Amino acid sequence: MAFEPAQQHQAAAPLQGPLFEGLLTEFAASAMSAGIAALGAPNRALIFAAAARACGPFDSGPGRSHPVSVNALAASLARPFETIRRQANMLIGDGLLVRSETGLSVPLQVICDPRVALMADGCHDLLVRLVEDVRAANLILPEPRPDRPYDPRAGIGIAFDLLLATIECHHHRRENWTRLALIFAIEWANRRFAHAAGPYLAPVKPSTVARILGLPYATVSRNIEGLAAAGKLRRVPEGLVIAPDLVTAPAAADARLALVNRARQLIGRLGQVGFPLDQPARAYIGARPALPALG
C-alpha cells in the first residue's frame, strides 16, 4: 500500500480525503501502465477501453451489443474526431474492434485475445488492490452483497470505467494522453514518499517514470521537456516534481473532488455486482500487483 496511515485505534473514516486521492492517483498511473504494456500506447488503451464500455463485452449480464460511432467516442473522450478515427483503424487492423455500417463494436471473442486479457485482468486486479488498500486504511466501504455471485467481467468493466473517469475528470489539464500518464506517474511518485517530505515534495527521476509506465526513455524525456516548458513540472537536483499550480489551482481541486465522487459511485457499484468488499483479496484474478520500485 502506498500511503500507510497510523491504523492502531483508528476510527473508520469516510471514503474521501488525501489518502483516498493518493490511492486513486496510484490506480491511474498503474492502470495506464497496464494499458501501455498490453496495447503499446495510452491512446490505443483508452480508446479500446471506451469502446468496450460503450458496447460490451465486459458486463455481468449478456452485455451491450449496440455499436458506438467514432463521433460518440471522440465526444466522450474529448479528443478530435480524426485522432480517434486513426487510432480506431489501428485497433480494427489488430482485430480488437470491428466496424459495421452502424459503428464500432468489440466482439465477444476479443476477451480471449492475450493483449486484451493482459489489460483487462491487470486493470481488474489494480481495482482490487485499490479496494484492499482502502479497507486496510479503515476508510468506510459500502456493505457487500453476499447474495450475489461476483463475475470478474463486471469488475473489469468497472475498472475500465474508473480508468476513463481519471481522464474525464482531468480534462482541465488539456494534455495528450502520454503527457497525462506522465503527470499521473510523477504525481504518484511524489506522493509515495510525501509522508516524510510534505505533499508533492519527493522528486522522481525521469528514468523511474519511464519504468513506472513502461514507456521508452526517449518518449518520456521528450514529453517531460514539453511539460517543464509549460510550467507543469519543476526540475530539482533530485529529479522532477509536479508544479504546485497543477495541484493547488481551483481546477485541480475540482478535478480531485469529481474523481473522488465518481470513484465512490463505482465502488458502490462493485458492491452491487457481488464484489467481496469485506474480503477484497478473494477477488484477484491473478495476484496483488506489486508497486514499482522507486529507489
Side-chain angles (χ1 to χ4, degrees), residues 1 5 10-24 127-143 158 162 256-271 275 277 280:
M1 177 176 167
Q10 181 186 13
L15 195 54
Q16 61 189 38
L19 174 60
F20 187 45
E21 292 170 11
L23 290 171
L24 291 174
L127 180 60
V128 178
R129 184 180 75 186
L130 169 67
V131 176
E132 190 176 25
D133 288 348
V134 163
R135 184 170 178 79
N138 210 22
L139 300 179
I140 298 171
L141 287 166
E143 290 297 319
I158 292 169
L162 183 55
R256 289 196 299 274
L257 178 60
L259 182 56
V260 164
N261 289 336
R262 181 67 175 137
R264 281 206 301 259
Q265 292 173 351
L266 291 172
I267 291 173
R269 198 193 322 157
L270 262 183
F275 183 93
L277 290 168

Side-chain angles (χ1 to χ4, degrees), residues 189-190 193 197 200-205 236-241 294:
N190 291 165
F193 297 123
Y200 310 103
L201 296 181
V204 59
K205 296 182 182 302
V236 297
E238 299 84 2
L240 304 163
V241 293
L294 297 184

Side-chain angles (χ1 to χ4, degrees), residues 68-86:
V68 60
S69 69
V70 174
N71 270 327
L73 279 180
S76 70
L77 293 168
R79 284 296 184 269
F81 172 89
E82 184 56 32
T83 298
I84 302 301
R85 187 195 68 80
R86 185 174 62 253

Side-chain angles (χ1 to χ4, degrees), residues 1-5 18-19 21-23 26 137 188 191-194:
M1 177 176 167
F3 311 98
E4 297 180 2
L19 174 60
E21 292 170 11
L23 290 171
E26 182 174 284
W188 170 72
R191 281 174 174 259
R192 175 77 168 131
F193 297 123

Side-chain angles (χ1 to χ4, degrees), residues 235-253:
R235 294 184 181 276
V236 297
E238 299 84 2
L240 304 163
V241 293
I242 294 291
D245 286 350
L246 208 61
V247 176
T248 60

Side-chain angles (χ1 to χ4, degrees), residues 156-212:
I156 290 168
I158 292 169
F160 281 0
D161 285 342
L162 183 55
L163 171 59
L164 294 167
T166 65
I167 303 303
E168 178 184 352
C169 292
H170 287 88
H171 279 168
H172 71 284
R173 287 174 167 174
R174 293 183 174 83
E175 301 295 344
N176 69 50
W177 287 330
T178 297
R179 290 190 178 182
L180 194 55
L182 289 172
I183 289 172
F184 288 148
I186 293 167
E187 187 172 349
W188 170 72
N190 291 165
R191 281 174 174 259
R192 175 77 168 131
F193 297 123
H195 63 278
Y200 310 103
L201 296 181
V204 59
K205 296 182 182 302
S207 58
T208 303
V209 178
R211 187 170 67 248
I212 290 170

